[in-house]
Amino acid sequence: MNSPDSTAVSPRPTRLFVACIIALVAMSFGFVVRAFLLTEWRVTFNLSESQLGSIQGAGLFPQALTIILFSLIIDRVGYGRTIAFAFVAHLVSAIVTITATDFHGLYWGTFIFALAGGAIEAAVNPITATLYSHSKTHHLNILHAGWPGGLVIGGLLAIALGTAGGENSWRWKVALYLIPVAIYGAMMLGQKFPVQERVAAGVSYTDMLKEFGWAGCLIVSMFMAYAVDEILRVFGWRLPNAAMLVVALGPTVLFAWRIRSFGRPMFVFLLLVMILLATTEIGTDSWIADLMTPVLKELGSNAGNWVLIYTSAIMFALRFCAGPIVHRISPLGLLAVCALIASAGLFWLANAGAAPLIVFAAATCYGLGKTFFWPTTLGVVSEQFPKGGALTLSAVAGVGMISVGVLGNPLLGTLQDKSLDQRLASQYPVIHRKVAEAPQTKYGLSFQPLDKTKIAILPAAEISQVETIRITNNQATLGKVAVLPAVMFFCYCGLMVYFRARGGYRPVQMETAQTG
């Protein structure tokens, strides 16, 4: 893996672009296997919903840390060294996770995997935006087809492995992501990487930071503080409120003093919308297999997994079609339509019952809605803020990852624990007293997690009653998430009105950015 050369375009852009896609496939392999193993890990390691949420969060927020940190230095250290770091971290993650014997092993293996994913995302997005500077949204959508493509392939392989390996079958499934890791590592060898378009255009590092601004720094730093707190929770500690303020405000004050720029208001707005977007797409995908498995139990133990594979297949196929669509209705129009469809799909899933045809029809609606969210948002940021270079492009992805990692996923898990606690206590108080653990408080919500080992030794009739409550609770959770894309719809409509008042949506060319 080589450092960037002195040319603006890679001499072998197709091979480099394909290698970037496969790197995203490796990321999604790990993601889908982890999503599929939640139910098994819950039983094997007696994990609460909150602990599962913490593991899912650890698979996301560390990724944001490396996305943002590498975006600040990637033009100096080079894409090659960044991807080499990711490759090594992927190998270490596999070793830690496969040898895990408790919650902490699973947590740290997932944490390291996310660090690798952040380095990958910090590199592949600006590489693609530079290679295809005149069709950014289209090619970023193709790049990110690697994510659902990996979900489909990895998911099918995990299902095919089944129980092979006996009680260690889950360890073999974790090792699956080493296949695409080896492929992208081999394809990246000997590559010449392009110079990022900001650098090639002579835009200074300070001007890049001004696009990001102290407002962007504040948003990122706030989530960084929550990330530190989330890590400390694993050891039973908490970050005091005063310390969280220091972590959030310290970098922001320093940034404001040195750079003296609020940042581009629209960019700051998109950062906030990205919090909702990431929870809608990645947060839901993290949980949907686990949530839908008991709902579709009549179709077998892997039924919930098929919902994730099915919606991912829809995404994979449609992301190749983004170019013609954005030429017709603009990227913001596409995002608005997708938000409306995703909200309807999630609400439908929440009320679909257990009829397989109805569930998969609702999943089709959700899959259509979430398809273009992530890459089209990256395309908008790259087209509107080219002076921001790798930083603005990576920051919006980083905020998405860190927000769903430290807030979205753990909060969804906590909401499930809280709601399950209330439903069981209300409908079957005697059973609740038998299986409830000591009270906990998280995100201001007090609840008693249910002990899986105690549930397992209940009489069959009582186990059935608990499962009935769990099924109802799982689907209701998706209904709560449906509110988020509904809010996003109005946000995108507001941006469309803004651009219409300015003559319509048009990508900003770097020459305009330098002189304007």
Side-chain angles (χ1 to χ4, degrees):
M1 300 177 190
N2 296 334
S3 298
D5 60 15
S6 59
T7 61
V9 181
S10 170
R12 289 184 288 180
T14 302
R15 175 181 164 179
L16 179 56
F17 184 54
V18 172
C20 289
I21 294 174
I22 295 175
L24 284 183
V25 169
M27 289 170 56
S28 60
F29 256 58
F31 179 90
V32 72
V33 169
R34 185 171 64 250
F36 282 12
L37 291 175
L38 285 180
T39 301
E40 185 173 347
W41 284 350
R42 177 194 287 119
V43 176
T44 302
F45 299 103
N46 190 29
L47 304 178
S48 70
E49 303 302 325
S50 296
Q51 286 178 314
L52 290 176
S54 293
I55 291 173
Q56 291 292 68
L60 296 170
F61 74 80
Q63 184 167 331
L65 301 179
T66 43
I67 288 176
I68 295 169
L69 291 177
F70 271 108
S71 71
L72 291 169
I73 61 174
I74 198 166
D75 293 324
R76 297 184 181 182
V77 302
Y79 295 122
R81 292 187 182 92
T82 302
I83 293 172
F85 167 85
F87 181 81
V88 173
H90 271 141
L91 297 180
V92 173
S93 167
I95 295 171
V96 173
T97 307
I98 290 170
T99 58
T101 58
D102 57 14
F103 165 73
H104 293 90
L106 297 175
Y107 183 91
W108 289 113
T110 304
F111 187 97
I112 297 169
F113 181 86
L115 292 178
I120 289 294
E121 187 112 9
V124 299
N125 288 323
I127 286 174
T128 301
T130 301
L131 290 176
Y132 304 100
S133 59
H134 297 293
S135 55
K136 293 177 181 178
T137 298
H138 177 55
H139 278 89
L140 282 167
N141 269 278
I142 294 176
L143 169 70
H144 283 269
W147 177 266
L151 294 181
V152 173
I153 299 170
L156 291 175
L157 287 175
I159 291 175
L161 276 178
T163 58
E167 64 180 15
N168 290 316
S169 63
W170 69 267
R171 302 182 195 273
W172 288 103
K173 292 174 184 176
V174 169
L176 283 173
Y177 76 78
L178 292 176
I179 299 172
V181 166
I183 295 173
Y184 88 70
M187 290 190 71
M188 290 290 183
L189 286 174
Q191 283 291 303
K192 295 291 185 180
F193 295 92
V195 176
Q196 211 278 330
E197 60 176 338
R198 173 193 70 83
V199 178
V203 176
S204 71
Y205 189 80
T206 299
D207 284 341
M208 179 183 77
L209 294 178
K210 287 181 178 179
E211 294 282 289
F212 181 62
W214 64 259
C217 182
L218 176 61
I219 294 171
V220 170
S221 297
M222 286 174 59
F223 282 111
M224 290 287 190
Y226 279 108
V228 173
D229 183 59
E230 192 67 28
I231 294 171
L232 292 178
R233 285 175 183 268
V234 177
F235 301 98
W237 303 333
R238 291 291 307 276
L239 191 66
N241 291 335
M244 291 189 72
L245 283 175
V246 170
V247 174
L249 296 180
T252 303
V253 171
L254 179 62
F255 196 102
W257 175 65
R258 292 294 301 272
I259 303 302
R260 302 182 185 278
S261 170
F262 174 84
R264 297 290 294 276
M266 187 193 306
F267 171 72
V268 175
F269 181 72
L270 287 172
L271 283 179
L272 296 174
V273 174
M274 195 64 177
I275 298 170
L276 308 180
L277 185 156
T279 303
T280 299
E281 180 182 338
I282 299 180
T284 303
D285 282 353
S286 298
W287 283 104
I288 197 165
D290 187 56
L291 292 176
M292 299 308 294
T293 291
V295 176
L296 298 172
K297 60 182 179 180
E298 299 300 325
L299 296 181
S301 59
N302 290 319
N305 297 345
W306 285 109
V307 175
L308 179 57
I309 291 174
Y310 175 65
T311 58
S312 298
I314 293 173
M315 292 172 66
F316 175 75
L318 290 180
R319 281 186 173 176
F320 289 93
C321 306
I325 297 175
V326 296
H327 282 302
R328 286 179 173 271
I329 62 173
S330 86
L332 291 173
L334 177 59
L335 287 170
V337 171
C338 285
L340 202 59
I341 295 173
S343 181
L346 286 170
F347 185 78
W348 191 1
L349 273 172
N351 296 277
L357 287 178
I358 302 299
V359 169
F360 277 92
T364 301
C365 186
Y366 167 62
L368 289 171
K370 69 174 181 173
T371 291
F372 300 109
F373 276 157
W374 196 276
T376 302
T377 299
L378 294 179
V380 170
V381 170
S382 184
E383 289 177 348
Q384 295 301 313
F385 315 107
K387 289 174 66 176
L391 178 57
T392 49
L393 193 56
S394 296
V396 73
V399 165
M401 287 294 182
I402 200 169
S403 62
V404 75
V406 304
L407 182 62
N409 265 333
L411 181 58
L412 285 176
T414 299
L415 288 174
Q416 287 183 73
D417 272 336
K418 172 71 173 178
S419 181
L420 190 59
D421 175 38
Q422 290 180 329
R423 289 175 188 271
L424 189 63
S426 173
Q427 297 185 36
Y428 302 105
V430 175
I431 299 177
H432 181 268
R433 286 194 292 270
K434 292 180 182 179
V435 300
E437 297 180 0
Q440 296 182 13
T441 300
K442 198 170 184 180
Y443 300 109
L445 300 174
S446 297
F447 59 94
Q448 292 178 269
L450 305 186
D451 191 319
K452 308 301 181 303
T453 56
K454 292 180 180 178
I455 293 175
I457 61 175
L458 289 173
E462 293 184 350
I463 291 177
S464 177
Q465 290 170 329
V466 173
E467 281 304 302
T468 300
I469 294 293
R470 187 188 300 279
I471 290 171
T472 302
N473 190 66
N474 284 357
Q475 284 193 289
T477 300
L478 294 175
K480 296 172 184 175
V481 180
V483 175
L484 303 183
V487 175
M488 290 162 54
F489 169 75
F490 290 104
C491 293
Y492 295 134
C493 286
L495 288 174
M496 290 168 66
V497 171
Y498 167 79
F499 275 105
R500 181 169 296 178
R502 296 170 62 89
Y505 180 93
R506 289 186 298 273
V508 175
Q509 300 301 321
M510 186 61 74
E511 294 79 12
T512 303
Q514 283 184 280
T515 58

